[in-house]
């Protein structure tokens, strides 16, 4: 494997004495698509939130896109510009139009001229097939539309890595597919993706590797065919039987 | 089975009828109370031979006023004296609102600082100044200006800004150039000065009200969902931009209604100026009342002035509140 774009080395994290990440070792190659799954409270969100330093780790080394994450604020801001994130609750800015949501960071962080930022924003909105909503406010859109806007917003900074934290969990069933389609397209374009999701269909379709976490540890990781057909640990088997069902 | 859409039927039990009935009763009661008070007052005044009417406003006031935004002297009529008072009230209230909003916003933001000392100071400030009665604070600042600060000849200076018993002096645009204040024989020369009375009222209002505004801003910021800050962070926005572009605009929705009542409080509390001799509208009305005996008229003028300023503040803030409201479907 060439130089990994994300590198966890013996990373540990505690929330006030609660050991939430235990000795995490993980390497993600550029262009790789990772799906992380595991029971609730196992530390999946915490793990990917460490990648753009929404959470800080206390022990071990974490290098993202060539930058080691530590106290250096400038380094953190640089990593955040190169890492896009999509949240379960969309987290669009409700007081700004869709277009303003998309141009905020390019104009104020990347210091692009407004016209250029807007042109690029429209391109990203077309990419998620929602360009006609550019001048609406987020709360005027459906959940699926909002989540696609959130993906477009993250893409506007041309990130090297995209993080997804259960992007379809807050959606009504009939809207899940429109978001997954956009994500699958993105995967096809060679984006490095780390995705926490329980959409096993998505995992089978696009993941290069599926990671199973439990109680703050990476219990098992394998390509999807192997992961689903031949899980090794009992915890994985137990988890899969619960979500694949019955 | 469809009922024919009948005309509204009158019934003692219909909600519309009962609502209307109560409104009519309420209006009649209020109207009667007002009529009763006015009638009684006029009767009593007539019985005792007290003069009434607003004609006195045209006569000469006969008293001097310590400070005025417009040219005024003792020979000018009462209405002009009142105008001076109204302008003085508005001046201290408007500047007070501006400065208290600025300080209060900084205080509220400071409560979320990563620095524990900043957080602690903002908290201590808020708890101190909102729990000491404002009249006491006004008197305190008046004492500072009249007793504690040095005389005119040797002012405390911060750059071109001077503090002394003559008040607060600062550079000002005079006759086409910046004029910088300097100590003269009896007063500051050059620049512009705010009197100790004005400064005491202003600082009393600002310190007291900014503590409340700080608390309002803190609550407003706390009401912005955590996910908003996370999304802004994930986009690489530095902290200052997060506050300006994401947090404050959303906090405003929660902040504006209670902020409006603080603005109304500043205007109303400025009437405490009478305690230290700042010639606001209440102080002028008091003097006029003593000179003319037209109590009802002078009190009515005060009430009208506060009613108009309060209503316009409230109207403006309601309009602003609508403007920043978030669009939903
Ligand atoms: N800010 C926090 N302070 C304290 N404990 C926290 C905090 N955030 C998360 N935790 C705890 O850390 C553990 C891991 O949380 P995390 O959100 O990473 O789990 P998750 O695997 O994403 O679960 P879910 O599937 O429910 O989203 C949980 O037990 C949670 O209660
Ligand atoms: Mg989670």
């Amino acid at each position: 494997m060439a130089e990994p774009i994300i590198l966890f080395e013996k990373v540990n994290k505690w929330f006030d004495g609660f050991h939430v990440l235990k000795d995490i070792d993980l390497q993600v190659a550029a262009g790789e698509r990772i799906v992380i799954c595991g029971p609730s409270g196992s530390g999946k969100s915490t793990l990917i939130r460490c990648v753009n330093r929404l959470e800080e780790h206390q022990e071990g080394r974490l290098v993202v896109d060539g930058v080691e994450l530590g106290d250096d604020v400038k380094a953190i801001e640089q990593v955040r510009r190169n890492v896009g994130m999509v949240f379960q609750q969309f987290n669009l800015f409700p007081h700004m139009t869709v277009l303003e949501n998309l141009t905020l960071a390019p104009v104020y962080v990347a210091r692009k001229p407004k016209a250029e930022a807007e042109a690029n924003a429209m391109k990203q909105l077309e990419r998620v097939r929602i360009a006609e909503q550019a001048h609406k406010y987020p709360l005027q859109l459906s959940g699926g539309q909002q989540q696609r806007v959130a993906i477009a917003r993250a893409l506007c900074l041309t990130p090297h890595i995209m993080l997804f934290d259960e992007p379809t969990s807050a959606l009504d069933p009939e809207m899940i597919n429109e978001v997954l389609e956009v994500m699958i397209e993105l995967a096809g374009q060679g984006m490095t993706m780390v995705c926490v999701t329980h959409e096993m269909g998505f995992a089978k379709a696009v993941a290069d590797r599926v990671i199973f976490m439990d109680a703050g540890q990476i219990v098992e990781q394998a390509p999807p065919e192997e992961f689903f057909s031949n899980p090794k640990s009992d915890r994985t088997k137990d988890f899969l039987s619960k979500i694949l069902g019955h | 089975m469809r009922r024919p859409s009948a005309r509204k039927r009158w019934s003692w039990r219909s909600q519309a009828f009962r609502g209307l009935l109560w409104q009519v009763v309420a209006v009649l009661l209020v109207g009667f109370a007002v009529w009763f008070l006015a009638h009684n007052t006029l009767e009593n005044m007539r019985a005792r031979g007290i003069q009434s009417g607003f004609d006195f406003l045209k006569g000469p006031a006969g008293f001097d006023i310590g400070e005025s935004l417009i040219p005024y002297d003792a020979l000018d009529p009462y209405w002009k004296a009142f105008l001076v008072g109204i302008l003085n009230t508005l001046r201290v209230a408007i500047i007070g609102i501006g400065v208290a909003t600025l300080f209060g916003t900084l205080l509220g933001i400071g409560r979320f600082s990563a620095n524990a000392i900043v957080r602690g100071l903002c908290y201590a400030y808020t708890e101190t100044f909102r729990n000491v009665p404002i009249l006491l604070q006004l008197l305190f600042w008046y004492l500072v200006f009249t007793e504690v600060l040095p005389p005119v000849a040797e002012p405390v200076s911060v750059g071109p800004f001077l503090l002394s018993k003559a008040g607060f002096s600062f550079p000002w645009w005079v006759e086409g150039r910046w004029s910088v204040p300097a100590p003269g024989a009896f007063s500051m020369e050059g620049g512009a000065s705010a009197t100790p009375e004005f400064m005491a009222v202003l600082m009393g209002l600002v310190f007291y009200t900014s503590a409340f505004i700080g608390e309002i801003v803190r609550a407003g910021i706390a009401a912005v969902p955590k996910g908003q800050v996370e999304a802004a962070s994930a986009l690489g926005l530095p902290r200052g931009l997060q506050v300006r572009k994401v947090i404050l605009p959303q906090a405003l929705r929660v902040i504006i209604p209670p902020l409006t009542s603080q603005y109304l409080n500043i205007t109303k509390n400025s009437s405490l100026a009478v305690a230290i001799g700042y010639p606001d509208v209440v102080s002028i009305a008091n003097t006029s009342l003593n000179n003319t005996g037209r109590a009802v008229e002078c009190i009515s003028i005060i009430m009208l002035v506060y009613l108009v300023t309060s209503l316009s503040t409230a109207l403006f803030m309601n309009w602003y509140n609508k403007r920043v409201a978030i669009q939903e479907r």
Side-chain angles (χ1 to χ4, degrees):
Chain A
M1 195 150 87
E3 186 75 358
I5 195 165
I6 302 174
L7 172 68
F8 282 76
E9 259 179 24
K10 291 254 166 296
V11 169
N12 280 284
K13 173 170 178 63
W14 289 265
F15 280 124
D16 310 312
F18 174 65
H19 201 169
V20 57
L21 294 181
K22 300 173 185 161
D23 281 335
I24 300 289
D25 279 310
L26 176 66
Q27 302 194 358
V28 179
E32 205 178 1
R33 285 140 317 193
I34 306 276
V35 162
I36 302 178
C37 60
S40 181
S42 56
K44 308 177 297 290
S45 297
T46 310
L47 180 91
I48 71 165
R49 287 158 62 88
C50 280
V51 174
N52 64 352
R53 195 87 176 167
L54 288 184
E55 302 287 356
E56 51 187 79
H57 60 286
Q58 279 95 30
E59 266 180 21
R61 229 160 71 85
L62 177 48
V63 184
V64 178
D65 207 18
V67 179
E68 170 148 12
L69 288 171
D71 277 335
D72 185 348
V73 179
K74 286 289 152 204
I76 294 170
E77 278 168 16
Q78 190 196 331
V79 167
R80 285 175 176 172
R81 276 202 293 281
N82 293 329
V83 178
M85 186 163 200
V86 176
F87 301 86
Q88 183 174 354
Q89 300 296 341
F90 328 138
N91 295 350
L92 293 173
F93 306 130
H95 58 299
M96 299 180 185
T97 63
V98 165
L99 194 60
E100 288 165 345
N101 265 276
L102 267 66
T103 54
L104 179 69
V107 169
Y108 287 94
V109 180
R111 308 212 162 276
K112 292 237 178 70
K114 195 162 173 239
E116 187 189 325
E118 284 183 354
N120 181 46
M122 289 311 296
K123 235 174 28 206
Q124 302 306 333
L125 285 175
E126 269 155 36
R127 203 166 160 185
V128 300
R129 292 184 289 276
I130 201 165
E132 71 284 0
Q133 313 282 9
H135 297 286
K136 285 205 179 153
Y137 284 86
L139 296 181
Q140 297 170 322
L141 305 180
S142 74
Q145 290 174 321
Q146 288 187 58
Q147 193 60 298
R148 285 186 282 146
V149 170
I151 294 173
R153 179 174 71 177
L155 290 174
C156 276
L157 285 171
T158 48
H160 305 162
I161 303 167
M162 284 287 284
L163 307 174
F164 295 84
D165 191 356
E166 306 205 32
T168 55
S169 301
L171 297 177
D172 292 337
E174 74 270 21
M175 295 174 185
I176 290 177
N177 275 334
E178 65 186 60
V179 171
L180 288 180
E181 274 164 29
V182 167
M183 290 171 62
I184 290 169
E185 240 173 72
L186 204 58
Q189 291 157 3
M191 175 69 73
T192 309
M193 290 167 71
V194 180
C195 187
V196 176
T197 182
H198 292 157
E199 290 296 330
M200 291 305 144
F202 172 79
K204 282 177 192 156
V206 305
D208 297 306
R209 192 159 31 130
V210 181
I211 291 177
F212 174 69
M213 282 186 78
D214 190 17
Q217 287 170 310
I218 294 181
V219 175
E220 185 162 347
Q221 44 182 315
E225 315 80 56
E226 192 180 328
F227 182 86
F228 290 110
S229 59
N230 188 18
K232 303 219 167 40
S233 89
D234 289 341
R235 283 193 277 181
T236 316
K237 283 177 199 156
D238 187 42
F239 175 76
L240 284 178
S241 73
K242 271 184 198 135
I243 64 163
L244 296 179
H246 329 297
Chain B
M1 232 176 51
R2 261 182 71 223
R3 277 220 219 126
S5 55
R7 274 190 303 146
K8 237 187 209 146
R9 281 181 309 126
W10 280 112
S11 139
W12 284 101
R13 289 195 298 193
S14 97
Q15 210 163 35
F17 177 76
R18 288 191 171 185
L20 189 70
L21 183 70
W22 284 121
Q23 287 185 34
V24 169
V25 169
V27 168
L28 284 178
L29 280 176
V30 171
F32 176 74
V34 169
W35 173 83
F36 178 78
L37 287 174
H39 177 77
N40 249 16
T41 312
L42 287 175
E43 284 290 295
N44 284 337
M45 284 167 61
R46 200 169 305 139
R48 289 173 209 178
I50 299 175
Q51 293 189 319
S52 62
F54 286 94
D55 52 318
F56 78 99
L57 285 174
K58 293 203 192 96
F63 54 84
D64 271 316
I65 300 179
E67 57 187 292
S68 170
L69 286 172
I70 54 173
Y72 170 87
D73 67 53
L75 295 176
D76 279 323
Y78 271 107
W79 67 261
K80 209 163 170 195
F82 271 100
L83 186 62
V84 170
I86 292 170
L87 288 176
N88 280 339
T89 292
L90 290 181
R91 173 167 65 144
V92 81
I94 291 172
I95 297 178
I97 283 174
V99 182
T101 306
L102 185 71
F103 278 17
T105 308
L106 294 178
L107 275 171
I109 295 173
R111 297 287 287 278
F112 295 89
S113 167
N115 183 325
I117 297 176
V118 173
R119 278 201 314 268
L121 282 177
C122 291
Y123 175 71
Y125 176 100
T126 305
E127 289 307 321
T128 310
F129 284 96
R130 70 176 181 161
N131 287 317
V132 175
I134 182 168
L135 182 57
L136 217 59
Q137 295 193 36
L138 237 67
L139 293 172
F140 168 80
W141 291 114
Y142 191 55
L143 206 69
V144 167
F145 271 95
T146 53
E147 303 292 334
V148 179
L149 283 175
V152 181
E154 49 216 56
V156 184
S157 61
V158 185
F161 301 96
L162 306 177
L163 278 170
S164 71
K165 286 200 166 67
F168 173 61
S169 310
F170 47 93
W172 196 247
W173 193 252
V174 184
E175 286 160 6
R177 62 183 187 85
W178 282 103
S179 157
V180 178
F186 302 104
S187 63
M188 289 295 168
E189 280 167 11
S193 292
T195 63
E197 289 80 14
F198 174 82
M199 286 307 292
V201 177
L202 181 68
M203 292 180 74
L205 288 175
V206 163
F207 275 76
Y208 181 72
T209 315
S210 60
F212 284 93
I213 294 182
E215 192 55 25
I216 291 169
V217 170
R218 186 199 63 74
I221 292 175
V224 177
K226 231 176 92 213
Q228 292 290 308
V229 178
E230 291 180 351
S233 304
L235 287 168
L237 261 73
R239 183 71 187 157
L241 271 174
Q242 292 181 18
V243 172
R244 260 177 45 219
K245 292 285 168 187
V246 176
I247 301 176
L248 279 186
Q250 294 187 65
L252 271 185
R253 290 175 301 155
V254 184
I255 288 174
I256 286 175
L259 190 62
T260 308
S261 61
Q262 289 305 319
Y263 286 178
L264 299 178
N265 281 347
I266 285 197
T267 315
K268 288 181 285 181
N269 284 337
S270 72
S271 63
L272 292 170
V274 75
I276 55 173
Y278 176 70
D280 76 323
V281 66
V282 176
S283 158
I284 301 284
N286 260 339
T287 312
S288 309
L289 192 160
N290 288 334
N291 289 357
T292 63
R294 307 281 172 104
V296 175
E297 292 78 2
C298 289
I299 302 289
S300 315
I301 292 176
I302 299 182
M303 283 167 58
L304 189 70
V305 167
Y306 283 109
L307 190 68
V308 170
T309 45
S310 295
L311 281 181
S312 12
T313 311
L315 282 177
F316 172 78
M317 293 302 278
N318 282 347
W319 167 81
Y320 189 60
N321 198 25
K322 285 225 181 73
R323 237 193 57 151
V324 299
I326 284 180
Q327 306 244 2
E328 289 185 44
R329 56 185 82 228

